[in-house]
Amino acid sequence: MKKLFLCTCNKTLNKWLDLERIQKEIGSTFESVKVHDALCLEEGLAFLDSEVSKDDAIVIGACTSQIIGVPLERRLKTEQVSFVPIREHVAWVHKEDKKSATNKAIILLQDGAIHVNHMEPKTAVDLQIEKKILVVGGGLAGLKVASDLVQLGVEVTLLEPPEFNKDDYVEKNQFMADSSTLKDTVNGLLATSKGAKKLNGTVTSLSGRAGLFSVIIKLDDGKEMDLLVGAIVVATHTEQSAPSLAKTSLYGKSENSVLISELATLASNKSGKTILVAQDPTYHESDAEGSYLLREVTQAAEKGNTVIVAHFNIYTKDENLYRKARESGVIFVRGTLEKVDKKKDQFVCRLENTLESQVREFTVDYIVLQPERKPWSGTRKLANTLDLNLDQSGFIKTRYSKMKPVQTSKRGIFIAGNAKTPMNLNDALASASNASLEVFKNIIAEGERKGWIPVIDEEQCDLCEACVNACPNDALRRDEDLIKHVPMNCEFCGICVSACPTRAIEFQSHKKDSWLARIEAIGANHKKLEGKKPFTLVYACSECANASIDQAGFTGKGYPTGTYVLQFPCAGMVSPIEILKGLVEGAEQVIVAHCPPGGCHHQTGDHLSELVVKFTQDMLTSIGQDPSRIKATYMIAALPNKMQEEVAHRG
Amino acid sequence: MDKRIDLLEAIRSIAVKTPMNDIEVPEKVVGFGTIEYKAQTCSACKKCILACEPGALDMDSTLNMPDYVRATVPMEGFRSKNRETLVTLLQSLKQDYNFGDVLAVSVPEGLAGYGSIDWSAEQCIACEKCIEACPENCLTLKKVYKLPEIVGEIEAVPVKRTEKDWEPFIICFVCWECSHAAADLAGLMHLSYPATIRTVRIPCSGALEPIHIMTAMAQGADGVLVTGCLLHECHYGGDSPKAGNFMQYDFVKFWSDIFEEIGIGGRLYIDFASAAMGIKFAEIVETFTEQIRKLGPSPIPVKSEVQE
C-alpha cells in the first residue's frame, strides 16, 4: 500500500501551506493520507508503528530527512520510504505565497510517490570481514590503536618499520610533548598493547578488498609473510631534517648552530647567553611544531637567556603559549635571517625586519633552527604499495578532512597520528582513538552494511570499463569478461551509473527510468498547477548541497517557488541525460549542486559534475540552445545563502 | 602490413592524375573498403580499436553532434538505452537550426564513456574484425574505396612525346593452364599477332596480385593484359564463385577503375581463352595492342629503362 503521512510540525505548517487542499488534490495518488502534528515525537512514532506495515511504501511529508530520518530509520517497518521536506524546502522558504507554496508541496509529494514506486529493499552487504587488523608504524599513534583494539578484543598485528627504536623515538618526537610525558605515554601504551603481535618489516604487496585484504610483509630477517586482515591502520611517524636556512646559519659548520631539539640542553647548562631562534620562511609548520617552538623558547628565556625569535609565521592554536613567551622576555622579530658572520665565539646575524622594512643586526652566542618535519622516508613507497594518495607535503591524504579525518582514499585503510600531519601528543592520541573506533565499527558491522547497490546487466555491458575507471573506491573490477561489483568497497555514490554509456549499470531504487519519470512528472504537474510560470530544477547531492538547501530553510532564506530539488546520492551521478531531460520537460534552468571543490564525500563527484555540466553546455551550444540554462555550483551547509543566490540569478 | 604500404606506394608512383572519385569495390574483391561509423550508437568502449590489427582506428575525444542530431530514433537500432535517450533529448531540444551549424563537441578529459572513432582509410584492410568486435553495431563495411583520400594529391607529370618508331610494350600475364596453352596453340597454328607482348606465366590468373600489375606499369609497360581459362572452366575452382578467374575478373575491374582515376585508364585488360582457342588468343592480343596504340605510350615516368 502506498501511504502518505503529513506532519504539521506542531500545527505550524498550516500557516504557510494549505494542508486541506494538499490532501484533497493528492488523495487519489495514495491509498491513504494521514496528518499528524508531531511525527518525530514518541506519539508520532507510535502512530507510524500502528499505521505502517512491512510491505507498505510510504511518503513522509515533514521536515528534512536529516532530522526526521534519524528516529524513523529504526522505527519504520518498511524500507520503501521517501522523505519530502515540505518544511525546509517549501513552508519555510516560501512564506510569502501560500498558494504557490501549496502547489509546490503537491508537486513534491507526487514526486515522492513516484520515487517510492521505484524503490526496492536495500541490499544487505553480507560479506566476510576478517577480524584482524594490521597497524603499520609502531609510534605513539600506532601503539594507541593497537592498545585500543586489543582491549576491545581484536587481533592486532603491529608492524614496525625497520629503523624503529623506542628511546630514539622519544628523543626525536619531542615536538609532540615534553620528554617525560612522552616517555610515560609510550611506556604506558607498550604495556597496554602487549596483546598485539609485533613484527619488524615492510609491506610489499596488497590485494583484496576492504574487509579482506591480503598483505605480504617482508620481515627484517628476509622471510616473507602472508597476512589476511580486515583493515589496515597507517600510523607512520615523521622525520626531521635541517631547513633550507641551515647553510646560511652555518649549521653543521659550527657547534653553536643547532636544531631546536637541542635548545633545552643548551639552556639548562648555560644562562645569560644570547640565543637567536630562526624559522625558515619557506616552510609551513604545523600547530604542533609552532607550539613546540614557543614552549622551548619560553623555557630558555626563563633560565635567564636572552632569546630572540626571528619568525615568519608561528602557527599555534594555543594563544597562551605566545603570551607566556612574551611575558618570559622572548623578543619576537618578524623577519628572515639573511646573513651570518662568525666573530670569535659569537655570530653576527643580519636579518631584515619585514614589519619595519629595516635591516637589523644581532650578535648572538647560539643560533637555533627550527627543523622541517617531513613524513617518514618510506611513506611514498608504502603509499604506492597500499594505493593511497599523498598530499602536497608528501603526507598521506585524508579522504575528507571534515567528516572522514582518519579515512584514506582507499576504503578499509585508515590513518592515525603523524601519518597525516605533525601532531602534538593529544591530537595524535585522539586521532588514533578515532581510527580504532572506525576500524572497530567496521568489524562489528559485519552483515549489517546496507545500501542501494549498483546492479550490472551483463547483456548490456560492453566491457568498456568506463565504470571501473570512474569509480573512486575501486568497487568495480574487471574479471575476465565480466564487471564485478565489490560491495565492501562501495560507497553507493552512483558515479559508475553516470559513467556507463549503455545503461548496463543501474542503481537499485535509483534507476535511470525512475529519474526520467520523476523529472517528467514534475514538469507536467508544474504546468498543470502553475501554468507558464518558469521553474528551476536543482539536482543536489545528498551530502553538502542538500544540507545547504536545508539550511536555507532553517534560516528562512527564501527563493522563488518554482524550484524543485531532486536529491541524488552524489552530484557525480548526474549525467547529461538527466540535465537535458530537465530542459526538455520545460525547466527554465537546471542547477547541479555538489560539495565544495575537493570536498566531495566520494572524492571525485564535485569535479565530475563540473565536467558533465561543461560537456552538456557544449552540446547545447552546438544545437543552438542557450548553455547558461544549466550550471554546476557548490553548496555547503555553512553557506545557507547559496541556494537563494543561485536560484535568484535566473532569467 | 608492409604489403599494404608497398601497394599504396606503388599506386602513388604510377599515378599521373589526382584521383577525384571514390571507387566502387566489386563484390568479390576483399581487403578494400570503407568503414562507416554511426557515432550516435557508439559507447566508446574501444573494442574495435583493440581488434584492429593495422591500427586504422583511433579514439577521438569528441562527441559527434552532427550524427546525433541527424539520427532517426528508434530506426537505427540503438542497443544502448543511454545513447538513445541522449539522442532523443538532444533532438527534442534542437532549435530550428541548420544542420551545418551543428559542431562536434570535445569531451572534457576525465569524463569516461564518451568519444568517437577515427578511421584511417589508408591503414584499413577491410578485414571486418572491428565490425565483429563492436557490441553496439555501429560499424559497417561499405564497398567503396576512398581513393582520393588514400592517394592524395599527385603532381602533374610532363607529357611524353610519342617517338616515331614507338611500339606498344605490353606485359601479358597468362595462366599456365588454358591460356598459356592457347598462346602455344596460336604459335603452333602459325598465327601472327603483334610482337608487342611479353608473356609471364603464372599458376592461375587468380594468383596475380595487384602489386605485379603496378610493378609492370612502373617499369615502363604501356599496358597489362591478363588472360585466364574461360569463365566457369578455371582449373582451380571451375564453377565456384571463388574460382581464380572469377575472382581476378572482379579484381581487374576494380583496378581498371583505379587506373581510370589515376590517369592511366584503359591500360589494364582481362580476357579468357581455352586451350583450344589459339585464334581467340591472337585476337585478344591484337585488340589490346590496338587499344594501347590509340592511347599512346604510358604517361608514367619510367625510373629504369627496360632493355628489349
Side-chain angles (χ1 to χ4, degrees):
Chain A
M1 285 249 283
K2 198 151 67 177
K3 294 173 178 170
L4 170 66
F5 295 93
L6 293 168
C7 178
T8 63
C9 197
N10 198 19
K11 295 182 183 140
T12 56
L13 293 188
N14 13 9
K15 195 170 153 196
W16 306 290
L17 294 174
D18 187 346
L19 287 171
E20 270 153 37
R21 183 157 78 88
I22 293 176
Q23 288 180 67
K24 212 170 81 189
E25 294 208 14
I26 210 158
S28 58
T29 315
F30 295 91
E31 266 94 37
S32 90
V33 181
K34 295 270 161 67
V35 183
H36 196 272
D37 287 338
L39 281 180
C40 59
L41 298 183
E42 187 47 45
E43 53 183 288
L45 295 173
F47 172 70
L48 287 174
D49 272 348
S50 62
E51 290 285 329
V52 180
S53 76
K54 203 169 124 277
D55 305 317
D56 286 341
I58 62 167
V59 175
I60 307 258
C63 50
T64 167
S65 61
Q66 306 265 350
I67 296 174
I68 197 160
V70 180
L72 254 56
E73 198 192 354
R74 278 157 201 237
R75 288 291 281 272
L76 278 180
K77 291 182 200 112
T78 172
E79 278 179 342
Q80 278 143 284
V81 49
S82 172
F83 294 97
V84 179
I86 55 169
R87 191 177 78 173
E88 285 80 4
H89 287 195
V90 189
W92 284 358
V93 285
H94 306 313
K95 289 181 177 169
E96 312 296 321
D97 188 349
K98 191 170 179 177
K99 184 167 170 262
S100 273
T102 308
N103 285 343
K104 180 175 170 182
I106 293 169
I107 293 165
L108 286 182
L109 289 168
Q110 269 163 343
D111 173 54
I114 302 173
H115 188 198
V116 286
N117 275 351
H118 288 90
M119 243 177 224
E120 293 165 23
K122 285 184 179 178
T123 302
V125 176
D126 183 22
L127 277 173
Q128 179 199 354
I129 298 175
E130 192 63 36
K131 295 192 176 181
K132 285 179 196 157
I133 305 300
L134 174 70
V135 180
V136 182
L140 264 166
L143 286 173
K144 174 73 177 157
V145 173
S147 155
D148 282 358
L149 289 172
V150 163
Q151 284 170 54
L152 288 165
V154 181
E155 200 181 318
V156 179
T157 306
L158 186 63
L159 186 71
E160 290 165 351
E163 65 266 38
F164 185 78
N165 171 296
K166 186 185 84 177
D167 296 326
D168 205 28
Y169 179 82
V170 173
E171 177 71 22
K172 279 183 178 163
N173 287 279
Q174 303 267 320
F175 73 98
M176 294 176 79
D178 62 84
S179 188
S180 60
T181 317
L182 210 56
K183 206 173 266 172
D184 289 350
T185 319
V186 172
N187 282 333
L189 288 173
L190 279 172
T192 47
S193 63
K194 271 216 173 82
K197 189 176 164 194
K198 284 179 191 164
L199 297 174
N200 282 83
T202 41
V203 181
T204 53
S205 122
L206 174 89
S207 55
R209 55 157 173 90
L212 204 63
F213 285 120
S214 167
V215 189
I216 297 177
I217 294 168
K218 192 166 184 214
L219 297 174
D220 283 2
D221 58 15
K223 278 185 200 153
E224 286 212 334
M225 189 181 159
D226 248 324
L227 206 63
L228 209 58
V229 293
I232 299 173
V233 181
V234 178
T236 47
H237 58 281
T238 62
E239 285 172 3
Q240 73 171 26
S241 64
S244 51
L245 204 61
K247 207 176 160 194
T248 320
S249 46
L250 306 174
Y251 177 75
K253 280 188 183 160
S254 162
E255 57 182 27
N256 289 343
S257 178
V258 296
L259 294 182
I260 202 155
S261 42
E262 290 162 64
L263 179 59
T265 7
L266 266 187
S268 63
N269 298 342
K270 298 143 191 165
S271 61
K273 296 283 180 183
T274 315
I275 301 166
L276 179 86
V277 180
Q279 237 189 348
D280 190 331
T282 57
Y283 173 65
H284 293 277
E285 61 179 17
S286 63
D287 155 59
E289 293 165 272
S291 307
Y292 175 52
L293 180 110
L294 289 173
R295 277 202 310 269
E296 291 299 308
V297 295
T298 311
Q299 266 180 23
E302 279 168 352
K303 293 255 165 64
N305 298 298
T306 310
V307 183
I308 304 159
V309 181
H311 68 102
F312 176 72
N313 186 10
I314 301 176
Y315 177 57
T316 176
K317 283 179 187 156
D318 189 353
E319 233 175 80
N320 288 327
L321 284 177
Y322 176 66
R323 197 169 296 136
K324 247 168 104 184
R326 289 298 290 260
E327 279 163 7
S328 67
V330 176
I331 303 161
F332 288 93
V333 182
R334 192 188 153 101
T336 319
L337 189 61
E338 295 212 316
K339 197 165 180 249
V340 176
D341 289 317
K342 198 137 193 328
K343 199 175 173 190
K344 284 180 197 165
D345 282 347
Q346 290 187 308
F347 300 104
V348 179
C349 303
R350 201 169 73 172
L351 59 92
E352 195 184 326
N353 183 329
T354 47
L355 283 181
E356 297 170 10
S357 295
Q358 206 176 51
V359 177
R360 294 259 199 138
E361 267 192 5
F362 299 93
T363 305
V364 298
D365 299 309
Y366 298 104
I367 297 179
V368 176
L369 295 174
Q370 189 184 27
E372 281 183 20
R373 292 219 80 86
K374 288 183 176 153
W376 168 57
S377 51
T379 303
R380 190 165 291 276
K381 208 172 151 211
L382 181 71
N384 276 342
T385 313
L386 301 184
D387 189 22
L388 304 176
N389 293 343
L390 296 179
D391 67 12
Q392 283 170 332
S393 323
F395 286 99
I396 293 169
K397 204 174 171 191
T398 47
R399 189 179 196 89
Y400 180 52
S401 57
K402 256 194 204 160
M403 308 280 287
K404 293 172 180 168
V406 294
Q407 281 88 334
T408 63
S409 52
K410 197 173 174 85
R411 279 189 68 88
I413 301 187
F414 302 84
I415 44 172
N418 288 333
K420 184 162 82 172
T421 185
M423 284 184 191
N424 65 32
L425 180 64
N426 290 339
D427 286 352
L429 291 179
S431 142
S433 299
N434 192 352
S436 8
L437 270 178
E438 284 296 330
V439 168
F440 190 63
K441 231 164 71 185
N442 269 15
I443 287 180
I444 56 165
E446 179 174 14
E448 279 187 10
R449 208 159 159 255
K450 272 187 160 188
W452 286 309
I453 61 165
V455 181
I456 301 154
D457 179 353
E458 290 162 19
E459 287 290 302
Q460 281 282 315
C461 180
D462 284 353
L463 290 173
C464 68
E465 297 185 28
C467 52
V468 177
N469 295 332
C471 178
N473 290 309
D474 188 23
L476 290 158
R477 291 177 183 170
R478 168 106 183 238
D479 184 2
E480 307 216 324
D481 279 351
L482 290 176
I483 300 289
K484 289 234 168 101
H485 180 231
V486 187
M488 280 299 289
N489 280 6
C490 183
E491 283 198 325
F492 318 124
C493 62
I495 286 174
C496 50
V497 179
S498 161
C500 180
T502 65
R503 212 179 294 179
I505 289 199
E506 283 268 49
F507 224 63
Q508 276 185 331
S509 302
H510 293 294
K511 293 215 165 73
K512 204 70 130 197
D513 282 340
S514 80
W515 292 114
L516 300 182
R518 288 174 69 183
I519 296 164
E520 205 171 313
I522 288 180
N525 289 331
H526 177 89
K527 249 170 248 158
K528 205 166 82 192
L529 292 170
E530 296 275 16
K532 285 196 171 149
K533 193 175 141 188
F535 70 99
T536 300
L537 289 174
V538 181
Y539 300 159
C541 83
S542 62
E543 310 284 350
C544 294
N546 196 53
S548 170
I549 296 167
D550 285 348
Q551 280 295 328
F554 295 134
T555 48
K557 306 279 181 192
Y559 44 85
T561 46
T563 309
Y564 306 102
V565 178
L566 282 174
Q567 213 188 99
F568 282 74
C570 172
M573 190 185 178
V574 180
S575 75
I577 290 176
E578 286 89 5
I579 300 174
L580 294 171
K581 180 71 178 172
L583 297 183
V584 167
E585 293 310 325
E588 194 202 6
Q589 194 184 23
V590 175
I591 299 170
V592 181
H594 52 78
C595 297
C600 174
H601 292 50
H602 308 290
Q603 303 193 72
T604 56
D606 58 318
H607 177 62
L608 279 177
S609 54
E610 290 280 347
L611 288 185
V612 163
V613 167
K614 163 84 183 40
F615 185 43
T616 318
Q617 280 176 335
D618 288 349
M619 287 191 211
L620 288 178
T621 314
S622 173
I623 55 170
Q625 280 280 4
D626 180 7
S628 66
R629 285 174 68 189
I630 59 173
K631 66 176 166 189
T633 181
Y634 74 89
M635 289 190 183
I636 50 173
L639 289 175
N641 289 2
K642 200 81 171 109
M643 180 69 176
Q644 193 178 37
E645 284 165 14
E646 295 297 344
V647 178
H649 280 170
R650 78 162 185 225
Chain B
M1 277 325 292
D2 292 349
K3 196 167 167 183
R4 177 57 59 111
I5 294 164
D6 290 348
L7 182 65
L8 293 183
E9 266 171 22
I11 300 181
R12 286 191 195 110
S13 72
I14 61 166
V16 294
K17 194 184 104 191
T18 305
M20 305 302 286
N21 301 308
D22 292 347
I23 309 289
E24 197 188 315
V25 181
E27 196 201 320
K28 290 201 182 72
V29 175
V30 290
F32 300 89
T34 301
I35 296 293
E36 294 225 313
Y37 168 62
K38 280 193 289 181
Q40 70 275 12
T41 59
C42 174
S43 67
C45 69
K46 298 190 186 152
K47 284 243 182 80
C48 51
I49 299 177
L50 292 173
C52 182
E53 279 165 33
L57 295 169
D58 201 1
M59 199 73 206
D60 186 17
S61 60
T62 56
L63 196 69
N64 193 327
M65 291 295 285
D67 272 17
Y68 272 57
V69 293
R70 274 198 203 97
T72 43
V73 181
M75 303 283 283
E76 310 214 2
F78 286 91
R79 201 177 84 99
S80 155
K81 282 191 211 148
N82 277 3
R83 282 294 178 270
E84 184 172 349
T85 315
L86 187 59
V87 169
T88 318
L89 290 171
L90 284 169
Q91 289 186 352
S92 45
L93 275 175
K94 200 178 100 38
Q95 301 269 315
D96 189 15
Y97 207 60
N98 185 354
F99 280 121
D101 296 341
V102 178
L103 297 174
V105 170
S106 70
V107 181
E109 210 185 317
L111 203 61
Y114 301 94
S116 310
I117 299 299
D118 243 354
W119 172 76
S120 144
E122 198 175 330
Q123 256 107 0
C124 180
I125 54 167
C127 65
E128 302 191 47
K129 285 206 176 121
C130 52
I131 300 175
E132 279 165 38
C134 178
E136 302 288 342
N137 303 323
C138 36
L139 300 171
T140 37
L141 181 71
K142 205 173 159 200
K143 295 288 253 178
V144 161
Y145 194 50
K146 294 214 177 271
L147 197 65
E149 202 175 306
I150 293 157
V151 173
E153 201 150 322
I154 298 295
E155 270 178 55
V157 291
V159 182
K160 266 197 206 163
R161 263 190 311 142
T162 313
E163 307 276 332
K164 248 190 200 159
D165 56 349
W166 173 77
E167 275 294 308
F169 166 55
I170 295 162
I171 295 286
C172 176
F173 292 103
V174 293
C175 82
W176 70 26
E177 304 291 347
C178 281
S179 60
H180 192 259
D184 282 356
L185 186 63
L188 285 171
M189 291 166 77
H190 295 276
L191 294 172
S192 83
Y193 55 81
T196 50
I197 66 159
R198 306 289 181 275
T199 51
V200 177
R201 222 169 67 131
I202 50 173
C204 171
S205 61
L208 184 65
E209 288 192 40
I211 192 77
H212 302 139
I213 304 174
M214 306 289 149
T215 314
M217 293 303 291
Q219 294 295 331
D222 295 311
V224 172
L225 179 61
V226 185
T227 59
C229 307
L230 286 180
L231 288 174
H232 304 286
E233 286 174 14
C234 175
H235 286 64
Y236 307 101
D239 231 357
S240 149
K242 278 189 175 172
N245 53 7
F246 269 126
M247 299 291 283
Q248 194 59 35
Y249 186 76
D250 274 7
F251 261 97
V252 167
K253 178 173 182 320
F254 176 57
W255 287 104
S256 309
D257 288 349
I258 290 179
F259 276 21
E260 194 72 49
E261 274 303 311
I262 58 175
I264 49 172
R267 292 180 189 273
L268 176 62
Y269 184 65
I270 186 165
D271 213 331
F272 309 95
S274 82
M277 290 174 155
I279 302 172
K280 178 157 187 213
F281 185 82
E283 270 172 19
I284 293 168
V285 176
E286 224 163 289
T287 324
F288 190 58
T289 308
E290 205 42 52
Q291 189 178 329
I292 298 296
R293 225 185 275 281
K294 272 186 208 148
L295 287 169
S298 158
I300 302 162
V302 179
K303 277 179 213 147
S304 54
E305 286 295 327
V306 178
Q307 299 294 316
E308 284 193 34

